[in-house]
Amino acid sequence: MSGMASDHNSSQEEYIPHYLQKEDPFASKLSREADIIAGFYLTIIGILSTLGNGYVIFMSSKRKKKLRPAEIMTVNLAVCDLGISVVGKPFSIISFFSHRWMFGWLGCRWYGWAGFFFGCGSLITMTAVSLDRYLKICHLSYGTWLKRHHAFICLAIIWVYATFWATVPFAGVGSYAPEPFGTSCTLDWWLAQASVAGQVFVLSILFFCLLLPTAVIVFSYVKIILKVKSSTKEVAHYDTRIQNSHILEMKLTKVAMLICAGFLIAWIPYAVVSVWSAFGRPDSVPIQFSVIPTLLAKSAAMYNPIIYQVIDCRFACCRPGELKAKSSLKKSR
C-alpha cells in the first residue's frame, strides 16, 4: 500500500500540464481549416445569442414594473447568456480565426473568469427557477407568498454565489488555463493531476457549481411531473381565476424544464471531458475530441430565446393572463 501511495505521489509530482510542456501554450493545436470552421460557428452562435437575449431584455424593460417573479428570473438568465456572448465570445472568435490565442495570460484569466461567472450564474438561476416552479406547482399554499422582492433577494444571492466561485481561483487555490487545443481558456482542471489541493479545488467546483444545482433541478422537476398527474382534480375544486393561474404556471414550468434540459445537454459533455481530464490518465483526451464539447457548451446561450418563441410566449417565457382577459373584455364590449 505504501508503495502504491508513493507511486501515486511521485506521478503527481512528475505531472506537467499541457500548457507548461511547450514554450507557446496559446498556439492552436488544430488545423487552420478546423479553426476557421469553429470561428464561423461561434460567430453565428454569438450573433443569434446576442440578438435573442437582447430582445428578451429589451421587451422586459418596457414593462419592468409588471414583471412576475418567474419573469424576473428569466430576464436574469437572459442577462447571463448575453454576458457570455458579449464578453466572452469575441475573444474566442478572434483567436480561432487567428489560429492562436491572441490575448496572453491576462486575457486568458479574464476570459476564463467571465465564462465561469456567467455560466455559474445561468445554472444557479435555473436552480432558483426550478425551486420556484416546485413551490408553485407542488405547494400552492406556499407558492402564493412568493413576491417580487423575494425574486430580487434571490438575484442578489445568485450573483454573490457566482462571483465567489468564479473568484476563488484567484485566491491561490486554483487557476484559469488554456484549453488543450490552445485557442480558448477555462478552469485549470489539470490541477487535480498535480496535487491533493488541486483535487479538492476541482471537486469543490464540481459539487457546488454542477452536481448540487443539477440535483436540485432534477428533484424539482421529478416532483412536478409526479404532482401534475393529480393536479387536474385538485385544481378543479378552485374558482376560475385560480384555475387560469395554474394553467399559466404550468406553461412557465414547461418552458423552465426545456431551458434546463437544453443547458444541461449542452454542458454535460463538457463536464464529463473536464472530469476525465482532471482525474483520468493525463493527456488521455484527444485534442481534436476535446474541442467538440467546448463548442457545444458555448452554444447554450443561444437556446433560451428560441425556446421562448417555440412555446409562443410574449417575452421571457410568459404571456400574462391579465392581458388576455383585458383584450377579450374589450372585444366583447
Side-chain angles (χ1 to χ4, degrees):
M1 292 293 291
S2 61
M4 294 177 60
S6 62
D7 291 341
H8 179 70
N9 292 333
S10 62
S11 64
Q12 286 187 336
E13 293 175 358
E14 294 173 358
Y15 175 71
I16 301 176
H18 64 87
Y19 52 86
L20 296 179
Q21 294 176 2
K22 298 181 179 180
E23 294 182 0
D24 188 0
F26 299 123
S28 176
K29 312 305 186 296
L30 304 174
S31 65
R32 186 172 293 276
E33 292 76 14
D35 275 335
I36 292 175
I37 293 173
F40 276 116
Y41 170 81
L42 289 180
T43 300
I44 295 172
I45 294 296
I47 292 174
L48 294 177
S49 175
T50 301
L51 293 177
N53 289 291
Y55 175 77
V56 171
I57 296 172
F58 171 74
M59 292 301 295
S60 65
S61 67
K62 297 175 68 174
R63 57 185 296 273
K64 56 186 176 181
K65 294 183 179 180
K66 298 180 180 180
L67 293 177
R68 298 157 57 93
E71 294 175 304
I72 294 172
M73 289 297 173
T74 306
V75 172
N76 190 65
L77 185 60
V79 171
C80 292
D81 292 340
L82 184 64
I84 293 175
S85 302
V86 173
V87 176
K89 282 189 174 59
F91 287 81
S92 54
I93 290 172
I94 293 172
S95 297
F96 273 115
F97 281 128
S98 301
H99 197 50
R100 63 173 287 107
W101 178 259
M102 297 295 295
F103 306 98
W105 277 104
L106 182 61
C108 181
R109 295 187 178 96
W110 159 250
Y111 177 87
W113 181 91
F116 185 49
F117 172 72
F118 287 115
C120 182
S122 294
L123 183 56
I124 303 304
T125 300
M126 285 184 283
T127 305
V129 169
S130 69
L131 287 175
D132 173 73
R133 298 295 89 210
Y134 170 70
L135 290 174
K136 290 288 181 65
I137 301 301
C138 299
H139 301 281
L140 295 178
S141 59
Y142 292 97
T144 55
W145 64 266
L146 291 173
K147 306 299 181 182
R148 281 170 55 94
H149 68 275
H150 295 120
F152 289 115
I153 293 173
C154 188
L155 290 185
I157 296 173
I158 290 170
W159 288 110
V160 170
Y161 193 91
T163 301
F164 173 78
W165 285 108
T167 310
V168 160
F170 294 132
V173 297
S175 183
Y176 294 99
E179 299 267 17
F181 50 88
T183 48
S184 181
C185 294
T186 184
L187 278 168
D188 193 347
W189 303 103
W190 302 271
L191 285 174
Q193 298 281 355
S195 66
V196 174
Q199 294 176 0
V200 172
F201 164 73
V202 171
L203 288 173
S204 298
I205 291 291
L206 287 173
F207 179 77
F208 289 104
C209 300
L210 179 62
L211 297 180
L212 180 60
T214 301
V216 173
I217 290 172
V218 172
F219 167 81
S220 298
Y221 290 124
V222 167
K223 296 293 287 186
I224 288 172
I225 292 172
L226 295 176
K227 183 68 175 180
V228 165
K229 294 182 179 180
S230 59
S231 64
T232 304
K233 295 181 180 179
E234 289 187 18
V235 176
H237 297 292
Y238 295 99
D239 59 32
T240 303
R241 182 177 61 84
I242 295 180
Q243 291 179 15
N244 292 337
S245 177
H246 184 71
I247 292 173
L248 178 59
E249 297 299 343
M250 289 305 302
K251 175 180 282 190
L252 289 168
T253 302
K254 291 177 182 178
V255 176
M257 291 177 68
L258 286 175
I259 289 172
C260 292
F263 185 91
L264 294 177
I265 290 172
W267 278 96
I268 283 178
Y270 179 79
V272 171
V273 171
S274 299
V275 171
W276 185 260
S277 299
F279 298 101
R281 187 169 57 85
D283 305 323
S284 59
V285 179
I287 293 177
Q288 291 76 10
F289 177 77
S290 67
V291 70
I292 297 175
T294 301
L295 294 178
L296 179 62
K298 292 179 186 297
S299 67
M302 179 190 68
Y303 299 152
N304 298 339
I306 296 176
I307 292 174
Y308 307 150
Q309 297 303 320
V310 169
I311 301 298
D312 191 27
C313 298
R314 181 184 177 187
F315 73 98
C317 85
C318 181
R319 185 193 302 272
E322 294 85 356
L323 296 181
K324 288 184 177 180
K326 289 180 180 179
S327 62
S328 62
L329 182 60
K330 289 181 179 179
K331 288 181 181 179
S332 64
R333 288 178 178 174

